[in-house]
Amino acid sequence: GLVGRENSFVIRGVRNTSATVMNRMQKAQEGSFDIEPFVHLPRIVEDFIEINRFDARGTEVLQTLRREVLLHVMGFTAENAFVIAGVRNPSAALMARVSAAQRLFPPTG
């Protein structure tokens, strides 16, 4: 997850989300989390797909992207927001992000 192996980007199944966020923040400040911030990248991708309601093609494309392109598309290494809002077709907006990210991070070798 983003902070801690057991965490996902989206908080689910808790009664008090504020307490959960505070708990995660405390663990992060204490340093009791994994060094790798994206340990469960597949789970984060699932959250991204679910929240933005991409069509089958968008979902398929996300599953094929290299890590650096994927993180950029989801907004972790770019000025994109994780939630794609204010557009008629989130999947079309996704494809524009993918194209831009692939230009920034061309395959090597």
Side-chain angles (χ1 to χ4, degrees):
L2 296 181
V3 178
R5 182 170 295 280
E6 71 279 2
N7 297 330
S8 173
F9 186 75
V10 177
I11 298 172
R12 294 185 180 93
V14 299
R15 284 191 289 200
N16 187 337
T17 54
S18 295
T20 301
V21 169
M22 295 303 290
N23 185 310
R24 288 184 185 183
M25 288 174 45
Q26 181 178 4
K27 285 182 180 180
Q29 288 174 343
E30 293 169 354
S32 57
F33 57 88
D34 296 322
I35 299 299
E36 174 58 51
F38 301 104
V39 169
H40 291 292
L41 189 57
R43 188 180 337 166
I44 297 169
V45 172
E46 288 174 17
D47 292 342
F48 186 61
I49 292 167
E50 180 182 332
I51 287 171
N52 291 294
R53 297 184 175 144
F54 298 126
D55 61 20
R57 175 74 178 123
T59 299
E60 181 181 313
V61 166
L62 285 171
Q63 304 296 337
T64 66
L65 296 177
R66 290 174 289 117
R67 179 184 175 93
E68 63 272 12
V69 173
L70 187 56
L71 291 173
H72 193 82
V73 167
M74 291 190 298
F76 292 109
T77 61
E79 293 186 19
N80 298 330
F82 189 81
V83 177
I84 298 176
V87 298
R88 284 181 176 233
N89 185 340
S91 293
L94 168 68
M95 298 311 285
R97 284 186 182 192
V98 168
S99 294
Q102 288 177 328
R103 283 191 300 274
L104 286 172
F105 301 99
T108 57

mmCIF file with all atom_site columns, all heavy atoms in Angstrom, residues 31-52:
data_model
loop_
_atom_site.group_PDB
_atom_site.id
_atom_site.type_symbol
_atom_site.label_atom_id
_atom_site.label_alt_id
_atom_site.label_comp_id
_atom_site.label_asym_id
_atom_site.label_entity_id
_atom_site.label_seq_id
_atom_site.pdbx_PDB_ins_code
_atom_site.Cartn_x
_atom_site.Cartn_y
_atom_site.Cartn_z
_atom_site.occupancy
_atom_site.B_iso_or_equiv
_atom_site.pdbx_formal_charge
_atom_site.auth_seq_id
_atom_site.auth_comp_id
_atom_site.auth_asym_id
_atom_site.auth_atom_id
_atom_site.pdbx_PDB_model_num
ATOM 1   N N   . GLY A 1 31 ? 8.077   5.332  11.430  1.00 0.00 ? 31 GLY A N   1
ATOM 2   C CA  . GLY A 1 31 ? 8.923   4.568  10.527  1.00 0.00 ? 31 GLY A CA  1
ATOM 3   C C   . GLY A 1 31 ? 8.574   3.097  10.477  1.00 0.00 ? 31 GLY A C   1
ATOM 4   O O   . GLY A 1 31 ? 9.339   2.299  9.964   1.00 0.00 ? 31 GLY A O   1
ATOM 5   N N   . SER A 1 32 ? 7.416   2.728  10.993  1.00 0.00 ? 32 SER A N   1
ATOM 6   C CA  . SER A 1 32 ? 7.029   1.311  11.007  1.00 0.00 ? 32 SER A CA  1
ATOM 7   C C   . SER A 1 32 ? 6.185   0.990  9.769   1.00 0.00 ? 32 SER A C   1
ATOM 8   O O   . SER A 1 32 ? 5.013   0.700  9.842   1.00 0.00 ? 32 SER A O   1
ATOM 9   C CB  . SER A 1 32 ? 6.265   0.971  12.279  1.00 0.00 ? 32 SER A CB  1
ATOM 10  O OG  . SER A 1 32 ? 5.120   1.791  12.409  1.00 0.00 ? 32 SER A OG  1
ATOM 11  N N   . PHE A 1 33 ? 6.835   1.080  8.613   1.00 0.00 ? 33 PHE A N   1
ATOM 12  C CA  . PHE A 1 33 ? 6.188   0.752  7.349   1.00 0.00 ? 33 PHE A CA  1
ATOM 13  C C   . PHE A 1 33 ? 7.261   0.283  6.387   1.00 0.00 ? 33 PHE A C   1
ATOM 14  O O   . PHE A 1 33 ? 8.450   0.436  6.640   1.00 0.00 ? 33 PHE A O   1
ATOM 15  C CB  . PHE A 1 33 ? 5.424   1.951  6.777   1.00 0.00 ? 33 PHE A CB  1
ATOM 16  C CG  . PHE A 1 33 ? 6.278   3.171  6.579   1.00 0.00 ? 33 PHE A CG  1
ATOM 17  C CD1 . PHE A 1 33 ? 6.961   3.359  5.394   1.00 0.00 ? 33 PHE A CD1 1
ATOM 18  C CD2 . PHE A 1 33 ? 6.411   4.114  7.575   1.00 0.00 ? 33 PHE A CD2 1
ATOM 19  C CE1 . PHE A 1 33 ? 7.763   4.473  5.197   1.00 0.00 ? 33 PHE A CE1 1
ATOM 20  C CE2 . PHE A 1 33 ? 7.218   5.231  7.399   1.00 0.00 ? 33 PHE A CE2 1
ATOM 21  C CZ  . PHE A 1 33 ? 7.900   5.406  6.206   1.00 0.00 ? 33 PHE A CZ  1
ATOM 22  N N   . ASP A 1 34 ? 6.836   -0.286 5.281   1.00 0.00 ? 34 ASP A N   1
ATOM 23  C CA  . ASP A 1 34 ? 7.782   -0.763 4.275   1.00 0.00 ? 34 ASP A CA  1
ATOM 24  C C   . ASP A 1 34 ? 8.485   0.414  3.610   1.00 0.00 ? 34 ASP A C   1
ATOM 25  O O   . ASP A 1 34 ? 7.905   1.474  3.423   1.00 0.00 ? 34 ASP A O   1
ATOM 26  C CB  . ASP A 1 34 ? 7.046   -1.556 3.182   1.00 0.00 ? 34 ASP A CB  1
ATOM 27  C CG  . ASP A 1 34 ? 6.406   -2.817 3.728   1.00 0.00 ? 34 ASP A CG  1
ATOM 28  O OD1 . ASP A 1 34 ? 7.021   -3.460 4.587   1.00 0.00 ? 34 ASP A OD1 1
ATOM 29  O OD2 . ASP A 1 34 ? 5.293   -3.143 3.287   1.00 0.00 ? 34 ASP A OD2 1
ATOM 30  N N   . ILE A 1 35 ? 9.711   0.202  3.221   1.00 0.00 ? 35 ILE A N   1
ATOM 31  C CA  . ILE A 1 35 ? 10.458  1.221  2.488   1.00 0.00 ? 35 ILE A CA  1
ATOM 32  C C   . ILE A 1 35 ? 9.811   1.438  1.124   1.00 0.00 ? 35 ILE A C   1
ATOM 33  O O   . ILE A 1 35 ? 9.740   2.537  0.630   1.00 0.00 ? 35 ILE A O   1
ATOM 34  C CB  . ILE A 1 35 ? 11.937  0.795  2.324   1.00 0.00 ? 35 ILE A CB  1
ATOM 35  C CG1 . ILE A 1 35 ? 12.598  0.631  3.690   1.00 0.00 ? 35 ILE A CG1 1
ATOM 36  C CG2 . ILE A 1 35 ? 12.690  1.774  1.452   1.00 0.00 ? 35 ILE A CG2 1
ATOM 37  C CD1 . ILE A 1 35 ? 12.621  1.898  4.537   1.00 0.00 ? 35 ILE A CD1 1
ATOM 38  N N   . GLU A 1 36 ? 9.335   0.398  0.519   1.00 0.00 ? 36 GLU A N   1
ATOM 39  C CA  . GLU A 1 36 ? 8.714   0.461  -0.800  1.00 0.00 ? 36 GLU A CA  1
ATOM 40  C C   . GLU A 1 36 ? 7.284   0.983  -0.662  1.00 0.00 ? 36 GLU A C   1
ATOM 41  O O   . GLU A 1 36 ? 6.430   0.306  -0.107  1.00 0.00 ? 36 GLU A O   1
ATOM 42  C CB  . GLU A 1 36 ? 8.697   -0.927 -1.444  1.00 0.00 ? 36 GLU A CB  1
ATOM 43  C CG  . GLU A 1 36 ? 7.961   -0.998 -2.752  1.00 0.00 ? 36 GLU A CG  1
ATOM 44  C CD  . GLU A 1 36 ? 8.507   -0.066 -3.809  1.00 0.00 ? 36 GLU A CD  1
ATOM 45  O OE1 . GLU A 1 36 ? 9.721   -0.076 -4.044  1.00 0.00 ? 36 GLU A OE1 1
ATOM 46  O OE2 . GLU A 1 36 ? 7.707   0.684  -4.385  1.00 0.00 ? 36 GLU A OE2 1
ATOM 47  N N   . PRO A 1 37 ? 6.998   2.194  -1.164  1.00 0.00 ? 37 PRO A N   1
ATOM 48  C CA  . PRO A 1 37 ? 5.664   2.766  -0.971  1.00 0.00 ? 37 PRO A CA  1
ATOM 49  C C   . PRO A 1 37 ? 4.568   2.115  -1.811  1.00 0.00 ? 37 PRO A C   1
ATOM 50  O O   . PRO A 1 37 ? 3.410   2.247  -1.495  1.00 0.00 ? 37 PRO A O   1
ATOM 51  C CB  . PRO A 1 37 ? 5.851   4.231  -1.364  1.00 0.00 ? 37 PRO A CB  1
ATOM 52  C CG  . PRO A 1 37 ? 7.014   4.231  -2.275  1.00 0.00 ? 37 PRO A CG  1
ATOM 53  C CD  . PRO A 1 37 ? 7.898   3.102  -1.835  1.00 0.00 ? 37 PRO A CD  1
ATOM 54  N N   . PHE A 1 38 ? 4.921   1.416  -2.870  1.00 0.00 ? 38 PHE A N   1
ATOM 55  C CA  . PHE A 1 38 ? 3.898   0.834  -3.741  1.00 0.00 ? 38 PHE A CA  1
ATOM 56  C C   . PHE A 1 38 ? 3.985   -0.691 -3.743  1.00 0.00 ? 38 PHE A C   1
ATOM 57  O O   . PHE A 1 38 ? 3.998   -1.324 -4.784  1.00 0.00 ? 38 PHE A O   1
ATOM 58  C CB  . PHE A 1 38 ? 4.035   1.391  -5.158  1.00 0.00 ? 38 PHE A CB  1
ATOM 59  C CG  . PHE A 1 38 ? 3.899   2.880  -5.207  1.00 0.00 ? 38 PHE A CG  1
ATOM 60  C CD1 . PHE A 1 38 ? 5.008   3.689  -5.363  1.00 0.00 ? 38 PHE A CD1 1
ATOM 61  C CD2 . PHE A 1 38 ? 2.657   3.482  -5.062  1.00 0.00 ? 38 PHE A CD2 1
ATOM 62  C CE1 . PHE A 1 38 ? 4.884   5.069  -5.398  1.00 0.00 ? 38 PHE A CE1 1
ATOM 63  C CE2 . PHE A 1 38 ? 2.514   4.849  -5.093  1.00 0.00 ? 38 PHE A CE2 1
ATOM 64  C CZ  . PHE A 1 38 ? 3.632   5.655  -5.262  1.00 0.00 ? 38 PHE A CZ  1
ATOM 65  N N   . VAL A 1 39 ? 4.043   -1.265 -2.543  1.00 0.00 ? 39 VAL A N   1
ATOM 66  C CA  . VAL A 1 39 ? 4.185   -2.711 -2.397  1.00 0.00 ? 39 VAL A CA  1
ATOM 67  C C   . VAL A 1 39 ? 3.051   -3.444 -3.116  1.00 0.00 ? 39 VAL A C   1
ATOM 68  O O   . VAL A 1 39 ? 3.273   -4.436 -3.792  1.00 0.00 ? 39 VAL A O   1
ATOM 69  C CB  . VAL A 1 39 ? 4.216   -3.105 -0.900  1.00 0.00 ? 39 VAL A CB  1
ATOM 70  C CG1 . VAL A 1 39 ? 4.089   -4.599 -0.724  1.00 0.00 ? 39 VAL A CG1 1
ATOM 71  C CG2 . VAL A 1 39 ? 5.498   -2.612 -0.267  1.00 0.00 ? 39 VAL A CG2 1
ATOM 72  N N   . HIS A 1 40 ? 1.852   -2.948 -2.966  1.00 0.00 ? 40 HIS A N   1
ATOM 73  C CA  . HIS A 1 40 ? 0.680   -3.596 -3.567  1.00 0.00 ? 40 HIS A CA  1
ATOM 74  C C   . HIS A 1 40 ? 0.166   -2.798 -4.751  1.00 0.00 ? 40 HIS A C   1
ATOM 75  O O   . HIS A 1 40 ? -1.000  -2.424 -4.806  1.00 0.00 ? 40 HIS A O   1
ATOM 76  C CB  . HIS A 1 40 ? -0.430  -3.759 -2.528  1.00 0.00 ? 40 HIS A CB  1
ATOM 77  C CG  . HIS A 1 40 ? -0.088  -4.750 -1.470  1.00 0.00 ? 40 HIS A CG  1
ATOM 78  N ND1 . HIS A 1 40 ? 0.027   -6.093 -1.717  1.00 0.00 ? 40 HIS A ND1 1
ATOM 79  C CD2 . HIS A 1 40 ? 0.187   -4.590 -0.161  1.00 0.00 ? 40 HIS A CD2 1
ATOM 80  C CE1 . HIS A 1 40 ? 0.350   -6.714 -0.609  1.00 0.00 ? 40 HIS A CE1 1
ATOM 81  N NE2 . HIS A 1 40 ? 0.460   -5.828 0.356   1.00 0.00 ? 40 HIS A NE2 1
ATOM 82  N N   . LEU A 1 41 ? 1.039   -2.552 -5.717  1.00 0.00 ? 41 LEU A N   1
ATOM 83  C CA  . LEU A 1 41 ? 0.655   -1.774 -6.891  1.00 0.00 ? 41 LEU A CA  1
ATOM 84  C C   . LEU A 1 41 ? -0.562  -2.364 -7.606  1.00 0.00 ? 41 LEU A C   1
ATOM 85  O O   . LEU A 1 41 ? -1.451  -1.608 -7.996  1.00 0.00 ? 41 LEU A O   1
ATOM 86  C CB  . LEU A 1 41 ? 1.841   -1.612 -7.845  1.00 0.00 ? 41 LEU A CB  1
ATOM 87  C CG  . LEU A 1 41 ? 1.629   -0.651 -9.006  1.00 0.00 ? 41 LEU A CG  1
ATOM 88  C CD1 . LEU A 1 41 ? 1.243   0.738  -8.515  1.00 0.00 ? 41 LEU A CD1 1
ATOM 89  C CD2 . LEU A 1 41 ? 2.890   -0.583 -9.860  1.00 0.00 ? 41 LEU A CD2 1
ATOM 90  N N   . PRO A 1 42 ? -0.680  -3.680 -7.751  1.00 0.00 ? 42 PRO A N   1
ATOM 91  C CA  . PRO A 1 42 ? -1.887  -4.210 -8.397  1.00 0.00 ? 42 PRO A CA  1
ATOM 92  C C   . PRO A 1 42 ? -3.177  -3.801 -7.665  1.00 0.00 ? 42 PRO A C   1
ATOM 93  O O   . PRO A 1 42 ? -4.192  -3.515 -8.306  1.00 0.00 ? 42 PRO A O   1
ATOM 94  C CB  . PRO A 1 42 ? -1.684  -5.727 -8.367  1.00 0.00 ? 42 PRO A CB  1
ATOM 95  C CG  . PRO A 1 42 ? -0.194  -5.890 -8.362  1.00 0.00 ? 42 PRO A CG  1
ATOM 96  C CD  . PRO A 1 42 ? 0.307   -4.745 -7.507  1.00 0.00 ? 42 PRO A CD  1
ATOM 97  N N   . ARG A 1 43 ? -3.150  -3.756 -6.345  1.00 0.00 ? 43 ARG A N   1
ATOM 98  C CA  . ARG A 1 43 ? -4.337  -3.347 -5.589  1.00 0.00 ? 43 ARG A CA  1
ATOM 99  C C   . ARG A 1 43 ? -4.640  -1.861 -5.826  1.00 0.00 ? 43 ARG A C   1
ATOM 100 O O   . ARG A 1 43 ? -5.789  -1.459 -5.924  1.00 0.00 ? 43 ARG A O   1
ATOM 101 C CB  . ARG A 1 43 ? -4.152  -3.620 -4.104  1.00 0.00 ? 43 ARG A CB  1
ATOM 102 C CG  . ARG A 1 43 ? -5.442  -3.385 -3.338  1.00 0.00 ? 43 ARG A CG  1
ATOM 103 C CD  . ARG A 1 43 ? -5.392  -3.627 -1.867  1.00 0.00 ? 43 ARG A CD  1
ATOM 104 N NE  . ARG A 1 43 ? -4.357  -4.515 -1.388  1.00 0.00 ? 43 ARG A NE  1
ATOM 105 C CZ  . ARG A 1 43 ? -4.004  -4.624 -0.124  1.00 0.00 ? 43 ARG A CZ  1
ATOM 106 N NH1 . ARG A 1 43 ? -4.607  -3.911 0.796   1.00 0.00 ? 43 ARG A NH1 1
ATOM 107 N NH2 . ARG A 1 43 ? -3.061  -5.447 0.246   1.00 0.00 ? 43 ARG A NH2 1
ATOM 108 N N   . ILE A 1 44 ? -3.595  -1.051 -5.916  1.00 0.00 ? 44 ILE A N   1
ATOM 109 C CA  . ILE A 1 44 ? -3.774  0.372  -6.180  1.00 0.00 ? 44 ILE A CA  1
ATOM 110 C C   . ILE A 1 44 ? -4.361  0.570  -7.579  1.00 0.00 ? 44 ILE A C   1
ATOM 111 O O   . ILE A 1 44 ? -5.235  1.412  -7.784  1.00 0.00 ? 44 ILE A O   1
ATOM 112 C CB  . ILE A 1 44 ? -2.450  1.133  -6.006  1.00 0.00 ? 44 ILE A CB  1
ATOM 113 C CG1 . ILE A 1 44 ? -1.979  1.032  -4.554  1.00 0.00 ? 44 ILE A CG1 1
ATOM 114 C CG2 . ILE A 1 44 ? -2.597  2.596  -6.414  1.00 0.00 ? 44 ILE A CG2 1
ATOM 115 C CD1 . ILE A 1 44 ? -0.571  1.526  -4.319  1.00 0.00 ? 44 ILE A CD1 1
ATOM 116 N N   . VAL A 1 45 ? -3.906  -0.225 -8.542  1.00 0.00 ? 45 VAL A N   1
ATOM 117 C CA  . VAL A 1 45 ? -4.451  -0.159 -9.904  1.00 0.00 ? 45 VAL A CA  1
ATOM 118 C C   . VAL A 1 45 ? -5.934  -0.539 -9.880  1.00 0.00 ? 45 VAL A C   1
ATOM 119 O O   . VAL A 1 45 ? -6.760  0.118  -10.524 1.00 0.00 ? 45 VAL A O   1
ATOM 120 C CB  . VAL A 1 45 ? -3.662  -1.063 -10.874 1.00 0.00 ? 45 VAL A CB  1
ATOM 121 C CG1 . VAL A 1 45 ? -4.347  -1.147 -12.232 1.00 0.00 ? 45 VAL A CG1 1
ATOM 122 C CG2 . VAL A 1 45 ? -2.238  -0.563 -11.023 1.00 0.00 ? 45 VAL A CG2 1
ATOM 123 N N   . GLU A 1 46 ? -6.296  -1.565 -9.131  1.00 0.00 ? 46 GLU A N   1
ATOM 124 C CA  . GLU A 1 46 ? -7.706  -1.950 -9.006  1.00 0.00 ? 46 GLU A CA  1
ATOM 125 C C   . GLU A 1 46 ? -8.532  -0.803 -8.431  1.00 0.00 ? 46 GLU A C   1
ATOM 126 O O   . GLU A 1 46 ? -9.648  -0.535 -8.894  1.00 0.00 ? 46 GLU A O   1
ATOM 127 C CB  . GLU A 1 46 ? -7.847  -3.184 -8.119  1.00 0.00 ? 46 GLU A CB  1
ATOM 128 C CG  . GLU A 1 46 ? -7.358  -4.459 -8.758  1.00 0.00 ? 46 GLU A CG  1
ATOM 129 C CD  . GLU A 1 46 ? -7.367  -5.634 -7.795  1.00 0.00 ? 46 GLU A CD  1
ATOM 130 O OE1 . GLU A 1 46 ? -8.044  -5.564 -6.738  1.00 0.00 ? 46 GLU A OE1 1
ATOM 131 O OE2 . GLU A 1 46 ? -6.706  -6.638 -8.101  1.00 0.00 ? 46 GLU A OE2 1
ATOM 132 N N   . ASP A 1 47 ? -7.995  -0.115 -7.427  1.00 0.00 ? 47 ASP A N   1
ATOM 133 C CA  . ASP A 1 47 ? -8.685  1.043  -6.853  1.00 0.00 ? 47 ASP A CA  1
ATOM 134 C C   . ASP A 1 47 ? -8.871  2.132  -7.909  1.00 0.00 ? 47 ASP A C   1
ATOM 135 O O   . ASP A 1 47 ? -9.934  2.735  -8.018  1.00 0.00 ? 47 ASP A O   1
ATOM 136 C CB  . ASP A 1 47 ? -7.911  1.616  -5.670  1.00 0.00 ? 47 ASP A CB  1
ATOM 137 C CG  . ASP A 1 47 ? -7.880  0.697  -4.460  1.00 0.00 ? 47 ASP A CG  1
ATOM 138 O OD1 . ASP A 1 47 ? -8.717  -0.224 -4.372  1.00 0.00 ? 47 ASP A OD1 1
ATOM 139 O OD2 . ASP A 1 47 ? -7.015  0.926  -3.585  1.00 0.00 ? 47 ASP A OD2 1
ATOM 140 N N   . PHE A 1 48 ? -7.828  2.381  -8.685  1.00 0.00 ? 48 PHE A N   1
ATOM 141 C CA  . PHE A 1 48 ? -7.865  3.402  -9.738  1.00 0.00 ? 48 PHE A CA  1
ATOM 142 C C   . PHE A 1 48 ? -8.948  3.074  -10.758 1.00 0.00 ? 48 PHE A C   1
ATOM 143 O O   . PHE A 1 48 ? -9.732  3.946  -11.160 1.00 0.00 ? 48 PHE A O   1
ATOM 144 C CB  . PHE A 1 48 ? -6.480  3.473  -10.390 1.00 0.00 ? 48 PHE A CB  1
ATOM 145 C CG  . PHE A 1 48 ? -6.298  4.581  -11.397 1.00 0.00 ? 48 PHE A CG  1
ATOM 146 C CD1 . PHE A 1 48 ? -6.437  5.906  -11.043 1.00 0.00 ? 48 PHE A CD1 1
ATOM 147 C CD2 . PHE A 1 48 ? -5.944  4.282  -12.710 1.00 0.00 ? 48 PHE A CD2 1
ATOM 148 C CE1 . PHE A 1 48 ? -6.230  6.926  -11.967 1.00 0.00 ? 48 PHE A CE1 1
ATOM 149 C CE2 . PHE A 1 48 ? -5.734  5.286  -13.640 1.00 0.00 ? 48 PHE A CE2 1
ATOM 150 C CZ  . PHE A 1 48 ? -5.876  6.607  -13.271 1.00 0.00 ? 48 PHE A CZ  1
ATOM 151 N N   . ILE A 1 49 ? -9.021  1.814  -11.149 1.00 0.00 ? 49 ILE A N   1
ATOM 152 C CA  . ILE A 1 49 ? -10.030 1.372  -12.115 1.00 0.00 ? 49 ILE A CA  1
ATOM 153 C C   . ILE A 1 49 ? -11.433 1.512  -11.530 1.00 0.00 ? 49 ILE A C   1
ATOM 154 O O   . ILE A 1 49 ? -12.341 2.040  -12.180 1.00 0.00 ? 49 ILE A O   1
ATOM 155 C CB  . ILE A 1 49 ? -9.763  -0.086 -12.543 1.00 0.00 ? 49 ILE A CB  1
ATOM 156 C CG1 . ILE A 1 49 ? -8.478  -0.164 -13.370 1.00 0.00 ? 49 ILE A CG1 1
ATOM 157 C CG2 . ILE A 1 49 ? -10.956 -0.667 -13.310 1.00 0.00 ? 49 ILE A CG2 1
ATOM 158 C CD1 . ILE A 1 49 ? -7.947  -1.569 -13.573 1.00 0.00 ? 49 ILE A CD1 1
ATOM 159 N N   . GLU A 1 50 ? -11.611 1.056  -10.306 1.00 0.00 ? 50 GLU A N   1
ATOM 160 C CA  . GLU A 1 50 ? -12.928 1.089  -9.664  1.00 0.00 ? 50 GLU A CA  1
ATOM 161 C C   . GLU A 1 50 ? -13.430 2.517  -9.465  1.00 0.00 ? 50 GLU A C   1
ATOM 162 O O   . GLU A 1 50 ? -14.583 2.832  -9.781  1.00 0.00 ? 50 GLU A O   1
ATOM 163 C CB  . GLU A 1 50 ? -12.863 0.375  -8.319  1.00 0.00 ? 50 GLU A CB  1
ATOM 164 C CG  . GLU A 1 50 ? -14.186 0.353  -7.579  1.00 0.00 ? 50 GLU A CG  1
ATOM 165 C CD  . GLU A 1 50 ? -14.070 -0.321 -6.231  1.00 0.00 ? 50 GLU A CD  1
ATOM 166 O OE1 . GLU A 1 50 ? -13.199 -1.208 -6.063  1.00 0.00 ? 50 GLU A OE1 1
ATOM 167 O OE2 . GLU A 1 50 ? -14.831 0.056  -5.331  1.00 0.00 ? 50 GLU A OE2 1
ATOM 168 N N   . ILE A 1 51 ? -12.586 3.377  -8.959  1.00 0.00 ? 51 ILE A N   1
ATOM 169 C CA  . ILE A 1 51 ? -12.992 4.752  -8.671  1.00 0.00 ? 51 ILE A CA  1
ATOM 170 C C   . ILE A 1 51 ? -13.338 5.509  -9.943  1.00 0.00 ? 51 ILE A C   1
ATOM 171 O O   . ILE A 1 51 ? -14.290 6.287  -9.978  1.00 0.00 ? 51 ILE A O   1
ATOM 172 C CB  . ILE A 1 51 ? -11.879 5.486  -7.887  1.00 0.00 ? 51 ILE A CB  1
ATOM 173 C CG1 . ILE A 1 51 ? -11.847 4.954  -6.462  1.00 0.00 ? 51 ILE A CG1 1
ATOM 174 C CG2 . ILE A 1 51 ? -12.080 6.994  -7.896  1.00 0.00 ? 51 ILE A CG2 1
ATOM 175 C CD1 . ILE A 1 51 ? -10.663 5.426  -5.656  1.00 0.00 ? 51 ILE A CD1 1
ATOM 176 N N   . ASN A 1 52 ? -12.582 5.276  -11.007 1.00 0.00 ? 52 ASN A N   1
ATOM 177 C CA  . ASN A 1 52 ? -12.783 6.029  -12.248 1.00 0.00 ? 52 ASN A CA  1
ATOM 178 C C   . ASN A 1 52 ? -13.719 5.355  -13.239 1.00 0.00 ? 52 ASN A C   1
ATOM 179 O O   . ASN A 1 52 ? -14.064 5.946  -14.254 1.00 0.00 ? 52 ASN A O   1
ATOM 180 C CB  . ASN A 1 52 ? -11.424 6.323  -12.893 1.00 0.00 ? 52 ASN A CB  1
ATOM 181 C CG  . ASN A 1 52 ? -10.637 7.310  -12.082 1.00 0.00 ? 52 ASN A CG  1
ATOM 182 O OD1 . ASN A 1 52 ? -11.023 8.464  -11.957 1.00 0.00 ? 52 ASN A OD1 1
ATOM 183 N ND2 . ASN A 1 52 ? -9.532  6.860  -11.493 1.00 0.00 ? 52 ASN A ND2 1
#
